Amino acid sequence: GAATALPPAFVVDGVVSEPGATSRSALVYGYDATTGRGTLLHADFAGAFDHECADAEYAPFTPADAYLGECVRGRTVQYSRKRPDAVCFNAREFDDAAAATLKRCACTADDYECDYCWRQGSIDAPCVRDTFSLSCRDYAPDAPPASCVPGASYNVSTGYRFVAADACDADAAGAVDHRPTETRPCPAGDGTA
């Protein structure tokens, strides 16, 4: 379609595109800061690139965090992404499963969070039983399950669990080891372990 001139004081509120980041068009919505009038714009980049990116126009990329370094969710991974200087259309679908895991990292305190009915009093404090929440007052995480028979064992929470999708190595040298569970023997019939 025809090109549309935007007001000089156009403020972008958001951009919507198809999932996968391979679409050549997007909806841009915002408003004119001088009048407050909202605008919805269809941006078509189909003619902006003359070819689909070739393998040589991609480079390896290892995400890093300013605080955690290259260990994100307990592992260092490498993705393939379009080089910043490549003037081509990226037709590759993003696939998190295609990332190569370079190494698992030693667990740090950031790889754990408090388990259900446990809480931290402050950022660096250990997880302790939550006796304040109504839903946790009658919770007995240490009690053996009804199916527990003498000679068998059961797991109890240590108050910690891994952050979702974390793959850190709790056995690595220097690792913070907040094992999420510990194993206990089922009590004998007389109430002793």
Side-chain angles (χ1 to χ4, degrees), residues 20-23 49 51-53 58 82 88-93:
T22 60
S23 176
F49 306 106
H51 70 281
E52 199 171 287
C53 297
Y58 289 92
K82 187 175 105 171
C88 56
F89 168 64
N90 176 34
R92 291 184 182 175
E93 289 281 341

Side-chain angles (χ1 to χ4, degrees), residues 80-123:
S80 177
R81 74 172 180 184
K82 187 175 105 171
R83 287 193 345 249
D85 62 335
V87 183
C88 56
F89 168 64
N90 176 34
R92 291 184 182 175
E93 289 281 341
F94 174 76
D95 182 8
D96 196 38
T101 298
L102 302 179
K103 70 172 184 166
R104 287 179 60 209
C105 305
C107 293
T108 67
D110 294 311
D111 294 304
Y112 300 94
E113 62 187 1
C114 291
D115 202 357
Y116 174 73
C117 286
W118 296 75
R119 64 177 181 80
Q120 283 181 291
S122 64
I123 297 279

Side-chain angles (χ1 to χ4, degrees), residues 116-117 130-139:
Y116 174 73
C117 286
D130 181 357
T131 56
F132 299 106
S133 299
L134 289 175
S135 61
C136 295
R137 287 192 182 158
D138 295 329
Y139 180 63

